Structure formats: C-alpha cells, structure tokens
Amino acid sequence: MTERIFNFSAGPAVLPVPVLEEAQRNMLSLPGVGMSVMEISHRSKTFDDIIHSAESGLRELLGIPDNYRILFLQGGASLQFSMVPMNFLPADGSADYILTGSWGKKAIKEAKRVGAVNIAATMADGGFTRVPTKEELNLNSGAAYVHITTNETIEGVEWKQEPEVGNVPLFADASSDILSHRIPVEKYALIYAGAQKNMGPSGVTLVILRDDLLKNIPENLHTMLDYRTHVENNSLYNTPNTWGIYIIDLVCKWLKEKGGIAAMERENEQKAQLLYAAIDATDFYRGHADVDSRSIMNVTFRLPSEELEKKFTSEATAKGLDGLKGHRSVGGVRASIYNAFPRDGVEALVSFMKDFEKRNS
Ligand SMILES: *Cc1c(COP(=O)(O)O)cnc(C)c1O
C-alpha cells in the first residue's frame, strides 16, 4: 500500500507528512554527514546540534522560560509516574492528585508506593466525564505538589484552564495535548509527556522542570531515576533515543512553519468543533465528555449499542478511517485528531457518521 489512510490512532499516532518525507530523504545519510542519524554517536557534533535544536524549538514554541530545564528521557510517561514521586514526594510529606481518568489512576498507583497521596478530587463516580470545579477540590496547602493529567487520552477529558493551587508546585502529565494549544508554562513546575501522541515517535519522553525543584531531590536515588543526572548531563548521561529526538526536532520545525502553537490551536479547535457538532446534531451519537471538558485531541463518543459501535469502527476501517475503536477499558469510539491529523480526514469522518446513521437508525 502506498496511499496513506486517515489514522485516528491515539498513539503512536499520525506524524506530519513533510516530517516523514524529510526523514526518508535523510534515512541513508544526513546531509554532509554520510551516515544515518541512527548510526552516529550521541556525543558527536552532529547530534549535539540536533538535540540543541530540538530543545530550542520546544522552548520557542511553548514559550518555556529560562529557569526551566528540558529533558529527553526514556521509559515513557509511565516511568514518570514513578520518577515524579521518587524525586519530589518526601517521606514525611504528601502529594495531591486530581483524578480525571485512566492515566491519572496509573500515576496515583505509583505515587502510593512512594508516599502519602491525597486524592484532591476524583471524577471516577461520574465515569470520568469532566474535570472538577474549583469547589470540588480538596487541596492540601502543605502538599509537595499537585498532579493533574491535562488531557485524559482514553476518556477525552481535558482541562481548559489550570486549577488554582496557590504556592504548591503544579505538575502535569501532558502526553496527549502538549503542543496542541498554548499553555502558560510558568504556572507549572513540572510537565512531562511521552512523544508518541503529538510530538514524535514512541521512546522519548519530554520533561520540562523548573530549576528550583532540583534542590528537593533526595540523595539515595538510583542514578538513572534522579532528574539531576539528566539535567547535569543534558539528557546524555546514557544513550538517548537519538532517532526520536531527531524526529521531534523536525516536528518543531514543521510546527514553526505552520505558524506555531497559536495557529495550531485554531486549527485543532476547528477540527474538534466539526466532530462535536456532528455528535451534538443527533441523539444517535452521544459524546462521552461534558461540553466544558471536551478534549480537542481525543473525541470520544458512543452509539446506541455496542453492536453498532463494532459495526461502525469496522466499516470505517474498510473506508480508510482507521484506529477509531475506543480504548478497551471504556469502549465506544475515539477519534484522535492530533496536530498532524488533516482536516479533510475529520470531514471524511463526519460524512461517514452521517451516512452510517442514515443506514442504521
Ligand atoms: C499514552 C499516555 C501515557 C502513557 O505513555 P507511555 O509513553 O506509553 O508510558 C500516559 N499518560 C497519558 C496522558 C497518555 O496519553
């Protein structure tokens, strides 16, 4: 198959075609280098330029202030579920976690192995359909940090605005909405994100952390699990995912050409709006998330029966609309429409939805 289909997968997910084309052109030899990026030393001048370019690209796109460090780690966002509390949840302290979906649950599970966790709010009872209101938050002003998941990829529930946490450092798992819209980085002390949703291939995890946190890290951590190791070595303590960092750099350049995050945000909102309007236009489709918490990256909805959902996703796949099956834990349909997902793919899905409803209601 040489034709590309519409890939609605939640992750690893669609990448920009110009990025794939450039990677393809340079697969055998980076210009002037005579070797693939996968074949060069991570300590070479060539790779040093690539990792610095990726870092400055992210810094510029996200407006990351100078007192924040940028790390490219491995182990996925899932390893951050452990590293965050190991580094920042002290033995005599506690951390606040706000639970809005499946990934937050996994973060909490690991934090509890390290120390005391206060669930400052949980949206589990409603089936994770929204973020909590200010009044629903039971925050502890002495907490070591507050942890949120900015976008719950499985449920399609997204924070539209940071919770107010006073002087407590705000930490976020932003795996599935980083680079999708503007964020005030200075409101966060730490942000982490696996690359494979909206930034690049799997195998790299971006960590953005504020300098002053580093002094709180205990002395007894394993070297690889201590953020200071990676800060002191510019993410080159051991061999990083060189290929992944190279692709992130290309994605940043593509984003800048597209007009940066503000332009991306407008496009993403329009794409999401097309889909939510199609869902709201009928009772045949039911959106999972409450209107105010709807994700612009992962659009989740149900059909009148599981049987119809199965039929929907398999017919869609046959039409080149792939990856629409909801996560196995919640079912339904999920359309992931990250930055690189084209608007005509969203339009194709909307017209398929209308046609499917006509034939099945
Ligand atoms: C995908 C995802 C994860 C898990 O990422 P891995 O890189 O597979 O560990 C964690 N959090 C969120 C919000 C995700 O979307």
Side-chain angles (χ1 to χ4, degrees):
M1 177 182 282
T2 51
E3 280 285 293
R4 279 173 67 80
I5 60 169
F6 290 124
N7 174 12
F8 289 92
S9 171
V14 59
L15 284 163
V17 169
V19 166
L20 296 175
E21 284 171 343
E22 176 154 0
Q24 182 184 43
R25 277 195 301 278
N26 297 345
M27 180 64 85
L28 294 184
S29 166
L30 282 167
V33 176
M35 296 173 277
S36 159
V37 69
M38 285 180 278
E39 301 169 300
I40 60 174
S41 167
H42 58 297
R43 313 225 177 261
S44 63
K45 166 83 169 67
T46 304
F47 188 72
D48 198 53
D49 289 346
I50 290 170
I51 196 168
H52 277 105
S53 173
E55 176 179 336
S56 66
L58 290 166
R59 216 176 260 287
E60 185 185 330
L61 286 164
L62 288 167
I64 301 171
D66 288 345
N67 61 325
Y68 287 70
R69 304 300 294 251
I70 295 176
L71 306 175
F72 299 101
L73 308 183
Q74 298 182 66
S78 299
L79 184 60
Q80 295 308 304
F81 296 164
S82 302
M83 273 180 79
V84 162
M86 289 171 89
N87 282 262
F88 300 120
L89 175 47
D92 57 351
S94 77
D96 285 350
Y97 278 71
I98 303 176
L99 180 56
T100 55
S102 305
W103 289 113
K105 221 189 272 179
K106 292 193 167 167
I108 289 168
K109 179 178 168 206
E110 302 308 319
K112 281 184 170 167
R113 292 176 193 269
V114 177
V117 170
N118 169 45
I119 310 293
T122 171
M123 298 292 107
D125 279 353
F128 296 127
T129 59
R130 62 182 178 89
V131 302
T133 62
K134 200 172 160 184
E135 292 69 36
E136 287 170 315
L137 293 180
N138 174 27
L139 295 168
N140 166 12
S141 60
Y145 59 85
V146 180
H147 181 283
I148 63 170
T149 311
T150 53
N151 182 58
E152 281 286 359
T153 322
I154 291 173
E155 287 81 6
V157 167
E158 187 173 36
W159 289 84
K160 299 298 161 185
Q161 202 176 315
E162 291 69 25
E164 296 204 7
V165 297
N167 289 328
V168 177
L170 179 61
F171 289 9
D173 173 0
S175 294
S176 51
D177 68 349
I178 190 140
L179 301 174
S180 71
H181 63 112
R182 290 163 298 164
I183 50 166
V185 173
E186 64 285 351
K187 284 200 176 173
Y188 296 88
L190 185 149
I191 298 170
Y192 61 91
Q196 72 273 23
K197 311 291 168 49
N198 209 20
M199 217 165 13
S202 61
V204 199
T205 313
L206 172 69
V207 177
I208 302 165
L209 83 172
R210 209 172 60 203
D211 268 346
D212 64 281
L213 292 176
L214 296 168
K215 65 178 191 307
N216 303 335
I217 298 172
E219 288 306 325
N220 56 351
L221 291 178
H222 284 256
T223 310
M224 277 294 286
L225 299 176
D226 186 326
Y227 288 113
R228 286 173 305 192
T229 302
H230 304 291
V231 166
E232 284 158 16
N233 293 281
N234 296 314
S235 306
L236 296 172
Y237 173 75
N238 74 324
T239 320
N241 179 344
T242 49
W243 169 258
I245 294 166
Y246 165 69
I247 299 292
I248 290 175
D249 181 39
L250 297 186
V251 167
C252 287
K253 288 174 174 151
W254 173 78
L255 278 169
K256 278 192 254 178
E257 257 172 44
K258 297 272 292 178
I261 304 292
M264 214 66 236
E265 178 176 343
R266 275 194 301 279
E267 259 188 56
N268 287 331
E269 273 172 1
Q270 287 169 5
K271 285 188 297 182
Q273 197 40 47
L274 283 174
L275 266 179
Y276 286 121
I279 291 166
D280 291 342
T282 150
D283 292 333
F284 188 77
Y285 300 108
R286 273 174 302 123
H288 173 78
D290 287 7
V291 172
D292 291 345
S293 297
R294 281 173 162 176
S295 170
I296 59 165
M297 294 279 95
N298 312 99
V299 177
T300 49
F301 57 98
R302 308 293 312 229
L303 274 68
S305 69
E306 282 183 30
E307 221 177 331
L308 279 171
E309 286 165 351
K310 237 191 188 150
K311 191 170 176 219
F312 180 95
T313 49
S314 71
E315 283 185 19
T317 302
K319 286 190 164 352
L321 306 168
D322 196 49
L324 285 163
K325 197 165 169 287
H327 190 271
R328 58 189 183 279
S329 63
V330 297
V333 178
R334 170 175 52 174
S336 297
I337 47 174
Y338 299 112
N339 287 348
F341 191 90
R343 185 188 168 108
D344 53 349
V346 174
E347 285 162 357
L349 175 58
V350 168
S351 75
F352 173 75
M353 285 168 73
K354 288 187 177 148
D355 178 58
F356 187 85
E357 180 183 354
K358 231 178 267 163
R359 289 185 284 109
N360 291 280
S361 61

